[in-house]
Amino acid sequence: MRSTLWQKLFSWLDERLGLNDAYKNLLDRPEPKGNWWNTLGSASLFLFILQAVTGIFLTVYYTPSPDHAYDSIQYIMTEVQFGWLVRGIHHWSASLMVIVVFIHMLRVFFTASYKYPRELTWLIGIGLLLLTVGMGFTGYLLPWHQMAYWATTVGTQIAGSVPFAGEFILKSLRGGPDLSALTLQRFFAAHIWILPALLVALIGVHLYLIIRHGESHFPDKED
Amino acid sequence: MTDETKKKINAKYERELLHGERFWPDSLFKDAIVALGIFIFLVLLATFVGVHDSPKADPSDTSYVPRPEWYFLFLFKFLALYGQIPVFGKIEWVATVLIPGIAIGLLTLLPFIDKSPQRYYAKRAMPIAIMTIMVLGMVLLTMTADVPTVAADGSGLLGNLQTVAGLIVPSLAYIAFVGMAYTLKENAVRAIAWTTALAAALMIGFTAATLALYQPAAVAVIEIPTTLADQIVAGQDLYSVHCVECHGDDGKVEEITGVEGLEGKKISIISSKDVLYTVNDASMAEIIAYGRPDSGMNPFGKAYNPEGLTRSEIDYVVTFMRYTWDDRFEAPYIAPLYPPLAEGEVPSYSVHIEPIVKRYCISCHRPGKDNNNYLMTSYEELLTTGDNASHNLISNDPTSYLLQVIQQIPITDPASGEELIGVMPPNKALKPEIVEVFVRWVQAGMPK
């Protein structure tokens, strides 16, 4: 019989993976009465996954070199099947992610959810906010068009105004005194490897802490 | 925080859980709806708004006004306003590093600064007020990002309004908050709330005044050719303006004639296999940008030639040359230069004449060239400029100079018999159907 086969398979997997325990601990949790503002965190996570998926598709055609970056994106936009859709989503989703993550931070601030026992969740959340902005900053250069080039020139200049360490920071961001192929290459590396790796690690801890302490309730006069 | 308080907080949370919901399915259901909504919203944006185009990066174009991503605009504006403060405004790193650094540091360490266990809004007037003013300031600074601090006529009014809205009012509000928290202690809530409301109203008011007084300059919209056909046409237009004078419209010129300074120079036939098969796109773009001084090729890159071409434009010219002359490339369908004329149809300047003039005449008939002062870059110039302006285009007169010269009849001075104007274009006659367009246009009285 069909059902017993599935049951057998399930119980075999359950013995080894602990599916029932996972269901109990991860999904079947009690939560305080939530409202729509509570969805901002999961919306940020959804946007991150969307960015990861569309970003991976984009790397199939994108070339991080000053000679080809612009043309490869033109190619994605005009020649690749649904390339315009993938790039369009990646582009708009980047801006939306900054907004959603920021409003998520404001929600946590205004409901004072950062207080005991969730201090560490807040700390990591700030890290995630800064990394999201960093993703925006590094990703903006990659199309290698006029807006991107000059925005990054000015952006790195500002980072270079730090007293004493400024010149070192400027040179390490640009890979030299001026924006060049090296800058594009290292912004690309930061955008697709370094920052996403940090993001994934911090998201993991953030989620663990949320499950550990549960979602905070909306404060009332007693709190 | 004492263990007593911790126990109380945890007990309260347990009570909240009793009349709460389940993570699955209640919360996840809401999360899924929001995710779906976001996805649909993004697909609509990608489909109907698309991604704003910008030309290829051009490090030599220092006239480009840089502008950061929109979510950094508030910082940019803050910097500009800070720069207006006398003395202190000159120490840049205070605004670029110190103040943002302190803000981020405070935000990060928030749980360790605000250690009271209280969570209800009315008990947290101070942090809520500070954050409200901060976020409002960020939004307002972003909105005024395009307004200059010094207007074109040198008046500093706009800059002063922005400084009041973006720096002075928030700073005063912050000082007031701290003062109230220390003097009024527990009773400060009401005072802080009113101060916040007042400060917010002032900030919004001054920003609204700034935006109302500001008249944005018209921004020229640059059309970026995205499809191959568009790029070829863009390249052909640029080629017609910058290259035809020496290389001819078919690129077959071997010896330059009629160009000051390069008269009699022997040049390569750029539409020949010799050139197209041996020079790749990158080298071709470099030759155009840097020139070849020994063989008479001037540099056309923006960095070496003030009237020169940007990186994108040079790429279009190369694309045009490839798809027009290189037999290994097959050109896509390209719309005709002007819509073909039907029997009895009257051509107009904007639809028919302008594209023709742009391709065949403008190369020489623009400022700074040897052209008897006859400029052809606009409708008005076409009719009114030149040493022979009164004869060039006469409504319904087949002896108009322009019509004669394009029909291979040079204009001679009746008194001395000397040639006044040679045939046009000097090297290669226009196709009969193009001459026909001009003839019909003059017959109809040169309609715009």
Side-chain angles (χ1 to χ4, degrees):
Chain A
M1 262 167 40
R2 228 190 153 86
S3 58
T4 45
L5 180 67
W6 284 117
Q7 277 165 3
K8 265 184 193 163
L9 182 66
F10 180 82
S11 63
W12 188 88
L13 284 173
D14 186 33
E15 274 172 14
R16 278 141 194 93
L17 291 172
L19 292 179
N20 269 326
D21 288 348
Y23 171 74
K24 251 182 243 153
N25 292 323
L26 295 179
L27 293 177
D28 191 31
R29 287 183 290 119
E31 286 213 318
K33 214 167 162 38
N35 74 18
W36 290 95
W37 290 105
N38 288 84
T39 59
L40 285 164
S42 78
S44 310
L45 179 63
F46 171 72
L47 284 168
F48 173 73
I49 294 169
L50 195 63
Q51 287 297 71
V53 172
T54 50
I56 288 169
F57 276 124
L58 288 176
T59 57
V60 174
Y61 289 100
Y62 176 76
T63 315
S65 89
D67 288 339
H68 301 292
Y70 186 81
D71 298 333
S72 64
I73 286 183
Q74 291 275 323
Y75 185 76
I76 290 170
M77 292 302 280
T78 54
E79 305 290 326
V80 179
Q81 284 281 327
F82 292 111
W84 59 272
L85 183 63
V86 173
R87 159 119 201 273
I89 290 176
H90 198 77
H91 172 89
W92 286 107
S93 171
S95 287
L96 195 63
M97 190 167 165
V98 173
I99 299 178
V100 170
V101 171
F102 188 78
I103 300 178
H104 178 48
M105 184 275 285
L106 287 183
R107 199 279 294 164
V108 173
F109 180 88
F110 283 119
T111 60
S113 303
Y114 55 85
K115 296 193 171 183
Y116 171 83
R118 299 182 182 81
E119 296 96 328
L120 204 54
T121 325
W122 168 269
L123 222 59
I124 288 168
I126 294 295
L128 288 170
L129 172 66
L130 296 179
L131 283 172
T132 306
V133 174
M135 286 295 276
F137 182 65
T138 50
Y140 195 56
L141 176 69
L142 303 187
W144 202 253
H145 49 51
Q146 282 282 67
M147 288 193 308
Y149 182 90
W150 293 104
T152 307
T153 306
V154 176
T156 46
Q157 233 164 42
I158 287 179
S161 67
V162 181
F164 308 115
E167 186 155 339
F168 172 74
I169 295 174
L170 181 83
K171 280 189 177 167
S172 13
L173 281 175
R174 291 185 179 174
D178 293 307
L179 247 70
S180 66
L182 275 177
T183 324
L184 184 56
Q185 192 76 46
R186 66 183 57 190
F187 270 51
F188 181 66
H191 190 74
I192 72 159
W193 292 119
I194 305 167
L195 297 180
L198 289 172
L199 265 170
V200 168
L202 288 192
I203 287 174
V205 182
H206 203 69
L207 289 181
Y208 166 76
L209 287 171
I210 289 163
I211 291 168
R212 174 89 177 76
H213 297 293
E215 211 169 67
S216 74
H217 63 278
F218 264 61
D220 53 32
K221 282 188 176 169
E222 284 176 50
D223 292 294
Chain B
M1 196 177 282
T2 61
D3 288 342
E4 193 69 21
T5 351
K6 284 183 185 171
K7 224 181 247 170
K8 238 175 83 186
I9 290 172
N10 290 332
K12 172 78 203 282
Y13 187 65
E14 293 300 323
R15 283 206 303 285
E16 288 289 335
L17 288 183
L18 289 180
H19 55 94
E21 56 187 35
R22 308 304 287 182
F23 180 63
W24 164 267
D26 305 329
S27 303
L28 278 184
F29 177 65
K30 279 188 279 190
D31 292 340
I33 288 178
V34 170
L36 183 67
I38 285 176
F39 186 71
I40 292 171
F41 179 57
L42 288 172
V43 170
L44 290 177
L45 277 176
T47 312
F48 295 106
V49 184
V51 182
H52 181 72
D53 271 315
S54 172
K56 194 174 188 172
D58 187 357
S60 60
D61 181 11
T62 44
S63 63
Y64 193 85
V65 182
R67 202 186 140 84
E69 263 282 56
W70 66 266
Y71 40 81
F72 289 122
L73 282 178
F74 78 93
L75 253 178
F76 238 59
K77 188 82 242 183
F78 172 71
L79 252 173
L81 294 181
Y82 173 84
Q84 290 200 311
I85 302 173
V87 190
F88 265 114
K90 299 292 161 284
I91 313 171
E92 201 193 5
W93 60 271
V94 174
T96 57
V97 182
L98 194 66
I99 294 174
I102 289 175
I104 293 173
L106 287 177
L107 195 67
T108 311
L109 298 177
L110 182 65
F112 310 103
I113 297 167
D114 174 19
K115 280 191 287 200
S116 86
Q118 282 157 344
R119 288 185 62 205
Y120 189 60
Y121 311 104
K123 300 171 189 165
R124 300 174 56 236
M126 177 87 155
I128 289 180
I130 291 176
M131 189 58 122
T132 306
I133 295 294
M134 175 73 81
V135 173
L136 182 67
M138 284 163 73
V139 172
L140 296 180
L141 286 178
T142 307
M143 285 169 68
T144 51
D146 285 332
V147 185
T149 44
V150 180
D153 57 7
S155 110
L157 176 66
L158 287 177
N160 292 337
L161 284 176
Q162 292 173 60
T163 311
V164 171
L167 288 186
I168 296 177
V169 174
S171 309
L172 290 179
Y174 282 173
I175 294 169
F177 293 155
V178 175
M180 285 168 187
Y182 273 105
T183 51
L184 302 173
K185 300 249 164 18
E186 259 78 76
N187 305 320
V189 175
R190 202 164 279 272
I192 288 179
W194 278 110
T195 316
T196 311
L198 178 69
L202 283 174
M203 287 161 72
I204 294 173
F206 278 106
T207 307
T210 313
L211 291 174
L213 287 174
Y214 170 59
Q215 277 130 8
V219 183
V221 181
I222 309 166
E223 287 276 342
I224 310 285
T226 46
T227 65
L228 184 58
D230 286 349
Q231 287 174 354
I232 294 171
V233 171
Q236 182 156 18
D237 286 341
L238 292 163
Y239 181 89
S240 306
V241 174
H242 297 275
C243 321
V244 163
E245 226 187 332
C246 291
H247 289 286
D249 64 348
D250 51 9
K252 280 189 183 147
V253 173
E254 267 182 283
E255 191 181 323
I256 300 178
T257 50
V259 181
E260 207 189 327
L262 293 168
E263 193 67 42
K265 191 95 190 169
K266 295 268 195 300
I267 56 173
S268 314
I269 302 171
I270 54 168
S271 56
S272 67
K273 273 190 187 176
D274 277 0
V275 170
L276 293 169
Y277 276 39
T278 54
V279 184
N280 67 15
D281 285 1
S283 314
M284 193 118 68
E286 278 187 5
I287 294 171
I288 296 173
Y290 306 135
R292 268 190 170 169
D294 297 339
S295 48
M297 175 72 186
N298 287 330
F300 279 86
K302 259 240 158 76
Y304 318 100
N305 184 340
E307 291 172 38
L309 306 169
T310 65
R311 288 305 292 254
S312 286
E313 288 171 339
I314 290 175
D315 285 352
Y316 303 149
V317 172
V318 173
T319 311
F320 157 71
M321 293 169 64
R322 276 284 173 238
Y323 282 90
T324 315
W325 298 324
D326 193 326
D327 56 9
R328 296 168 300 175
F329 289 76
E330 199 176 316
Y333 169 76
I334 291 173
L337 184 59
Y338 58 92
L341 283 177
E343 192 73 35
E345 189 188 343
V346 174
S348 70
Y349 172 76
S350 56
V351 179
H352 304 88
I353 302 295
E354 191 180 13
I356 297 174
V357 167
K358 202 172 169 191
R359 180 156 306 167
Y360 295 106
C361 319
I362 253 182
S363 176
C364 300
H365 288 279
R366 61 190 167 117
K369 300 282 168 181
D370 178 16
N371 48 29
N372 284 341
N373 300 317
Y374 188 28
L375 309 179
M376 302 177 80
T377 56
S378 70
Y379 180 71
E380 285 70 28
E381 282 182 2
L382 202 58
L383 296 187
T384 56
T385 62
D387 296 347
N388 305 299
S390 55
H391 301 287
N392 283 343
L393 284 165
I394 303 161
S395 182
N396 198 13
D397 183 350
T399 64
S400 294
Y401 281 6
L402 188 144
L403 289 191
Q404 293 197 44
V405 295
I406 62 170
Q407 295 181 79
Q408 304 300 301
I409 308 165
I411 307 294
T412 47
D413 191 337
S416 63
E418 217 175 294
E419 191 180 90
L420 276 179
I421 312 167
V423 295
M424 289 289 156
N427 299 323
K428 196 177 166 223
L430 293 175
K431 284 180 231 150
E433 59 264 31
I434 291 180
V435 173
E436 171 71 16
V437 174
F438 274 105
V439 171
R440 281 211 226 171
W441 184 57
V442 174
Q443 261 173 13
M446 292 91 72
K448 192 166 184 178

